[in-house]
Amino acid sequence: MKNLDYVLLLDCYGSLLTERQRSLLEGYYDEDLSLAELAQPLGISRQAVHDSIRRGERQLAALEEQMGIAARLKAARALFAEIRTLSDALPEPQRQQIADAAKKGLELF
Amino acid sequence: MKNLDYVLLLDCYGSLLTERQRSLLEGYYDEDLSLAELAQPLGISRQAVHDSIRRGERQLAALEEQMGIAARLKAARALFAEIRTLSDALPEPQRQQIADAAKKGLELF
């Protein structure tokens, strides 16, 4: 199964990877392409794509270990989601105001 | 005048700088040390410290240009601050719940 956390790591750190590696990981995680679909246009084997994706994942994990930004963005997203849920019980106009701010927060990620 | 945005950039990207460069920038921006205070223990000139800090600032700005994470963290922080302000007008227990979530959000940055 594809690990959804890599979508966030790729969003944070993708620009630090090589063009080729980023493009493979984006195809795999963001566009949900198969190894075969990624391999075919590049004229390489499924195994080569697999190895390259694993290398990219290790680089992303190492960058998160070093920088820790994805964890902060994830925590911020969870708080905006919590605030949006809490806002349902509020009277207007505060419900709308707070729900709008929480929605803008969720759209940052 | 020291540019406060570099505090945020340093927080985001400091771990990608060299140890020496990070340490100079942290002294200058986070601890508010003067060029002379930074230069003395290293046995280098104020001008050398100044040049090194400017180089570090350019690296931080280039990383933000490439990754854009500081802008997202800044926008999230502004939204948490807005939510905290809006929460003042709410009835309990929602006021407390939403103010707590916004406070946790502000502490992430």
Side-chain angles (χ1 to χ4, degrees), chain B residues 10-50:
Chain B
L10 192 54
D11 176 34
C12 285
Y13 305 118
S15 64
L16 296 178
L17 302 179
T18 63
E19 178 62 39
R20 162 91 165 233
Q21 199 128 51
R22 179 168 69 248
S23 151
L24 281 177
L25 285 163
E26 284 176 352
Y28 189 67
Y29 282 112
D30 296 343
E31 300 164 44
D32 203 29
L33 299 175
S34 67
L35 295 178
E37 286 168 320
L38 290 164
Q40 198 272 329
L42 295 171
I44 59 177
S45 68
R46 286 177 71 259
Q47 184 62 43
V49 171
H50 177 270

Side-chain angles (χ1 to χ4, degrees), chain A residues 43-75:
Chain A
I44 60 178
S45 68
R46 288 176 70 258
Q47 185 62 43
V49 171
H50 177 268
D51 293 348
S52 187
I53 287 174
R54 288 295 164 277
R55 269 195 306 279
E57 288 171 351
R58 283 195 295 273
Q59 281 176 265
L60 291 175
L63 283 163
E64 174 62 6
E65 181 76 24
Q66 189 179 350
M67 299 181 70
I69 287 172
R72 290 160 83 186
L73 292 181
K74 200 173 168 177

